[in-house]
């Protein structure tokens, strides 16, 4: 299906012109900045020159003072502290960071990751019982806990205190913990709301260091973990996250921890990693530990202190990642067959599929693949601990969380974000849930959101693309949510030479505009357009600009995202 091209409107030509003059950059680049809310010289300086001094005071976060006081008391009293986290990338990087930091100052500390299959997501009764039975009196919970009202109440009866560090949306009632660090709390005035779970763990260590006269430079070694969490948890790369991601990527590419070094070596990517590289090479391997086996393997890798231990742990995780890929491929194939065989499912505005044999560890990945294929809100479920456990994914612009909220009477529990969520329900509720979810989405989703779109940032004449333009564009990195690589449109271009397909599916060509400079292009998955552009007629392209390195030579190329025939003037 042809994707919709959605061209962004310039909000203020006056702002663009003023910014262009103050920065002395091309008007298109100034327009991109204004479109991202960067409309003054000062904001541009902050954007182009991320600095650690731009990080906010951690004590601006509600309850941070209470959290630090409780940790100080625990250390002074030699209490046993348990660092507890979720089993995904954000959770395991959080645990590795907080555990490694406090281990330097307190020997009575350990970590705990709940078993995805036996305990499920978040704070578990089993985890609390483990803490109580082993003499832990303080749990620092990372990337989970904000909705664990009953579990924290249970912990209080066991004389186990909790500090919750979470970045998910709270429910109506907050747990009765000693401290709750979550910028999304309604009563929290922390200036930046989009930190990852590991980002909040970092703020906790920053606060402890600040209060106890520990040099800030002692925290820099953990920024690689923060960057991995930011990339893998798909949080906005704006504000404080941009600073953390920028310095974290520097750390990954110069002096990563032993565990990340091992994963880079095993993945074959050893230099100049971007956020995208982290998402597709580092993140899946860390995730595979918890998806297929035990996420404790991931933490042990990330806290490894020798190359030998890191490589050993990394090899185990790499094997798990291969297993994960096999499960992913098989289940995706089965789910596609299930949908294609059912005309009623194909006709719906939602996809909800269930198979009790599917591996719980990969249903989130499968949900993402089905969303890409059919482009509609999707839930993939399997059987787990007597219930149907599901992973949900949405399409751009549609709030999945709100839709699930309307169906909550059929759910045992659910949680997540606008675009991704997890849920459990009684298996007998599946048919009613399928019907109600379809009704809610059908009533609330605009039709245009069910057609995949390409958001175009600006129109660009090809002759403007030169090394100077690209040097400024490159400073927009790191790219990610709310700061994606800009997509440009150029109209009335022609092929130059003979376009061809690579590997059957991909389009390789050179284009020109107004008989001027020729640009090499690659269009992944766009091989079907070859006959349409190979007839001498003009066409429009939308694309990102990137560097292509081949045989020690670096050149600019256009990564084509969409093609359509030009409209007559």
């Amino acid at each position: 299906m042809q994707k919709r091209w959605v061209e962004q409107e310039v909000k203020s030509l006056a702002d663009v012109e003023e910014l262009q003059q103050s920065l002395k950059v091309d008007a298109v680049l100034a327009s991109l900045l204004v479109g991202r809310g960067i409309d003054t010289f000062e904001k541009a300086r902050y954007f182009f020159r991320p600095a650690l001094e731009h990080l906010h005071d951690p004590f601006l976060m509600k309850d941070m003072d209470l959290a630090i006081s409780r940790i100080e008391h625990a250390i002074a009293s030699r209490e046993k502290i348990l660092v507890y986290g979720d089993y995904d990338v954000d959770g395991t990087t959080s645990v590795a960071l907080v555990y490694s930091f406090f281990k330097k100052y307190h020997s009575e500390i350990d970590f705990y990751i709940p078993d995805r299959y036996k305990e499920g997501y978040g704070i578990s009764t089993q985890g609390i019982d483990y803490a109580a039975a082993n003499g832990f009196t303080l749990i620092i919970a990372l990337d989970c806990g904000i909705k664990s009202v009953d579990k924290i109440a249970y912990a209080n009866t066991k004389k186990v205190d909790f500090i919750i560090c979470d970045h998910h949306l709270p429910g109506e009632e907050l747990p009765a913990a000693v401290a709750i660090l979550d910028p999304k709390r309604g009563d929290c005035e922390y200036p930046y709301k989009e930190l990852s779970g590991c980002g909040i763990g970092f703020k906790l260590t920053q606060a402890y260091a600040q209060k106890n006269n520990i040099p800030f430079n002692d925290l820099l070694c953990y920024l690689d973990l923060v960057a991995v969490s930011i990339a893998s948890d798909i949080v906005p790369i704006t504000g404080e996250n941009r600073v953390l991601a920028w310095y974290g990527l520097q750390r990954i590419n110069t002096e990563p921890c032993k565990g990340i070094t091992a994963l880079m070596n095993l993945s074959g990517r050893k230099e100049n990693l971007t956020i995208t590289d982290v998402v597709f090479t580092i993140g899946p391997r860390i995730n595979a530990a918890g998806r297929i086996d035990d996420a404790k393997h991931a933490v042990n890798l990330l806290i490894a202190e020798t190359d030998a231990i890191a490589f050993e742990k990394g090899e185990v995780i790499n094997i798990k990642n291969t297993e994960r890929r096999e499960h992913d491929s098989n289940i995706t194939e089965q789910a596609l067959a299930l949908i294609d065989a059912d005309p009623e499912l194909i006709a719906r505005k939602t996809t909800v599929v269930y198979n009790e044999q599917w591996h719980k560890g990969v249903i989130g990945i499968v949900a993402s693949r089905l969303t890409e294929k059919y482009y509609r809100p999707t839930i993939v479920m399997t059987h787990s601990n007597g219930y149907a456990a599901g992973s949900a994914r949405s399409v751009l612009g549609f709030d999945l969380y709100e839709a699930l909220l309307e169906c909550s009477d059929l759910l045992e529990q659910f949680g997540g974000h606008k675009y991704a969520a997890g849920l459990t329900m009684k298996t007998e509720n599946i048919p009613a849930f399928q019907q109600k979810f379809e009704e809610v989405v059908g009533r609330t989703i605009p039709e245009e959101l069910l057609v995949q779109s390409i958001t175009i940032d600006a129109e660009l004449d090809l002759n403007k693309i030169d090394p100077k333009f690209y040097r400024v564009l490159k400073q927009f990195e790191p790219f990610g949510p709310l700061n994606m690589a800009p997509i440009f449109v150029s109209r009335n271009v022609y092929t130059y030479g003979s376009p061809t397909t690579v590997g059957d599916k991909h389009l390789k060509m050179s284009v020109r505009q107004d008989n001027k400079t020729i640009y090499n292009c690659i269009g992944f998955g766009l091989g079907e357009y070859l006959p349409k552009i190979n007839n001498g007629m003009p066409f429009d392209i939308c694309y990102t600009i990137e560097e292509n390195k081949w045989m020690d030579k670096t050149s600019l190329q256009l990564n084509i995202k969409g093609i359509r025939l030009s409209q007559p003037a």
Side-chain angles (χ1 to χ4, degrees):
M1 183 184 288
Q2 177 80 35
K3 295 178 181 178
R4 287 184 300 125
W5 291 21
V6 180
E7 297 188 38
Q8 300 276 60
E9 292 183 14
V10 179
K11 291 181 179 176
S12 170
L13 289 173
D15 286 345
V16 171
E17 190 175 327
E18 187 177 332
L19 194 61
Q20 179 193 3
Q21 290 174 357
S22 64
L23 296 178
K24 296 180 172 53
V25 296
D26 188 274
V28 172
L29 293 167
S31 174
L32 292 176
L33 290 167
V34 171
R36 288 158 201 242
I38 301 154
D39 52 10
T40 66
F41 181 88
E42 189 63 16
K43 287 180 184 177
R45 187 173 68 82
Y46 265 64
F47 181 75
F48 285 127
R49 300 288 180 267
L52 293 169
E53 295 76 42
H54 297 163
L55 297 178
H56 301 301
D57 181 347
F59 285 98
L60 294 174
M61 198 176 293
K62 177 79 172 173
D63 281 3
M64 185 63 82
D65 54 341
L66 298 176
I68 297 304
S69 294
R70 182 65 184 89
I71 292 170
E72 288 175 334
H73 177 75
I75 291 174
S77 306
R78 300 208 51 79
E79 293 179 52
K80 291 180 74 175
I81 299 174
L82 189 65
V83 182
Y84 186 114
D86 190 21
Y87 38 67
D88 67 1
V89 179
D90 196 14
T92 51
T93 52
S94 301
V95 169
L97 189 158
V98 172
Y99 172 81
S100 296
F101 174 80
F102 284 110
K103 181 78 173 170
K104 293 179 180 178
Y105 309 102
H106 187 56
S107 60
E108 296 294 318
I109 188 167
D110 204 348
F111 68 87
Y112 186 97
I113 307 285
D115 185 289
R116 178 190 288 264
Y117 305 104
K118 295 175 184 172
E119 298 169 72
Y121 168 78
I123 311 297
S124 70
T125 303
Q126 188 174 324
I128 294 166
D129 288 344
Y130 171 86
N134 289 278
F136 292 95
T137 50
L138 175 62
I139 294 178
I140 301 174
L142 297 148
D143 191 35
C144 60
I146 193 63
K147 285 189 168 181
S148 300
V149 176
D150 294 344
K151 297 294 192 298
I152 303 304
Y154 175 70
N156 288 336
T157 68
K158 295 276 188 175
K159 308 293 186 213
V160 176
D161 286 344
F162 261 85
I163 293 170
I164 293 172
C165 306
D166 205 347
H167 68 129
H168 297 98
L169 286 166
E172 290 182 10
E173 182 184 354
L174 292 176
V178 169
I180 300 174
L181 308 179
D182 187 340
K184 292 189 175 79
R185 284 179 61 167
D187 58 351
C188 181
E189 296 181 2
Y190 191 74
Y192 189 68
K193 303 292 183 183
E194 302 298 336
L195 291 167
S196 65
C198 189
I200 293 174
F202 180 80
K203 299 307 291 189
L204 180 71
T205 62
Q206 184 190 357
Y208 185 86
Q210 194 171 305
K211 177 90 181 293
N212 290 276
N213 299 314
I214 297 167
F216 182 79
N217 282 352
D218 287 7
L219 303 178
L220 299 184
C221 61
Y222 304 116
L223 289 178
D224 52 356
L225 296 173
V226 181
V228 170
S229 83
I230 287 171
S232 302
D233 220 51
I234 323 293
V235 293
I237 302 190
T238 56
E240 201 165 25
N241 278 346
R242 178 173 172 80
V243 176
L244 293 168
W246 196 89
Y247 282 94
L249 279 174
Q250 273 198 335
R251 189 85 192 178
I252 288 171
N253 287 312
T254 55
E255 199 180 351
C257 69
K258 305 286 187 188
I260 290 177
T261 300
L263 292 181
M264 289 166 70
N265 290 333
L266 287 161
S267 70
R269 290 303 302 265
K270 300 178 185 178
E271 58 180 27
N272 299 322
L273 266 68
T274 64
I275 288 291
T276 302
D277 294 327
V278 172
V279 168
F280 289 106
T281 60
I282 306 297
R285 284 169 170 80
I286 295 173
N287 248 336
R291 290 186 188 280
I292 303 302
D293 188 6
D294 189 336
K296 293 183 184 73
H297 293 313
V299 178
N300 282 321
L301 168 73
L302 296 172
I303 64 174
E305 295 183 354
T306 68
D307 292 330
I309 292 174
F311 189 75
E312 177 194 331
K313 301 293 183 188
E315 276 196 312
V316 171
I317 282 178
N318 216 35
I319 291 167
K320 298 301 175 190
N321 190 47
T322 302
E323 286 181 39
R324 186 270 306 167
R325 283 177 176 165
E326 290 170 2
H327 284 299
D328 165 16
S329 176
N330 293 337
I331 294 170
T332 299
E333 217 172 90
Q334 292 171 28
L336 289 172
L338 188 70
I339 296 164
D340 289 342
D342 189 338
E344 188 181 330
L345 271 179
I346 292 172
R348 289 187 168 195
K349 292 183 178 178
T350 62
T351 298
V352 181
V353 287
Y354 170 79
N355 184 318
E356 64 179 20
Q357 300 300 322
W358 287 342
H359 196 291
K360 187 184 176 188
V362 298
I363 57 175
I365 302 169
V366 175
S368 295
R369 299 205 191 288
L370 296 184
T371 306
E372 287 170 20
K373 167 79 173 173
Y374 299 104
Y375 209 67
R376 56 201 188 196
T378 298
I379 300 173
V380 178
M381 294 187 288
T382 188
H383 190 266
S384 177
N385 296 329
Y387 291 94
S391 203
R393 298 291 182 269
S394 191
V395 297
L396 187 65
F398 184 73
D399 195 327
L400 177 73
Y401 187 88
E402 287 298 319
L404 290 175
L405 200 57
E406 284 201 48
C407 303
S408 58
D409 58 312
L410 294 168
L411 303 175
E412 295 301 300
Q413 61 179 28
F414 74 100
H417 305 285
K418 181 176 181 178
Y419 293 120
L423 52 93
T424 57
M425 70 180 79
K426 293 174 181 173
T427 52
E428 59 264 31
N429 284 352
I430 292 173
F433 175 80
Q434 284 176 311
Q435 188 174 342
K436 186 165 185 179
F437 187 63
E438 171 71 15
E439 184 272 317
V440 169
V441 173
R443 172 168 42 82
T444 56
I445 194 167
E447 284 292 330
E448 62 267 21
L449 294 189
L450 293 169
V451 179
Q452 200 162 0
S453 63
I454 302 172
T455 300
I456 296 167
D457 294 274
E459 183 170 353
L460 183 64
D461 290 336
L462 290 182
N463 62 10
K464 286 191 174 184
I465 303 172
D466 58 20
K468 181 185 176 185
F469 184 94
Y470 184 72
R471 275 197 305 273
V472 179
L473 190 64
K474 197 163 174 57
Q475 291 179 57
F476 281 57
E477 295 178 355
F479 294 128
L482 299 189
N483 185 45
M484 300 299 285
I487 295 179
F488 302 101
V489 62
S490 295
R491 307 185 203 280
N492 294 301
V493 306
Y494 297 81
T495 57
Y496 178 84
S498 301
T500 184
T501 54
V502 181
D504 295 332
K505 296 191 301 184
H506 312 308
L507 179 66
K508 189 172 178 60
M509 63 178 175
S510 297
V511 298
R512 60 184 172 80
Q513 188 182 45
D514 300 329
N515 292 314
K516 294 182 180 175
T517 312
I518 298 160
Y519 290 92
N520 294 326
C521 308
I522 184 73
F524 293 106
L526 298 179
E528 65 188 86
Y529 285 92
L530 181 61
K532 300 175 184 177
I533 62 169
N534 209 8
N535 56 11
M537 298 296 290
F539 54 95
D540 303 341
I541 54 174
C542 59
Y543 55 90
T544 58
I545 306 170
E546 62 188 22
E547 286 180 322
N548 181 42
K549 295 182 181 179
W550 177 251
M551 301 290 285
D552 296 326
K553 288 187 177 180
T554 301
S555 60
L556 295 181
Q557 79 171 3
L558 311 183
N559 188 326
I560 306 297
K561 303 299 180 184
I563 297 171
R564 67 184 183 191
L565 295 179
S566 298
Q567 298 298 314

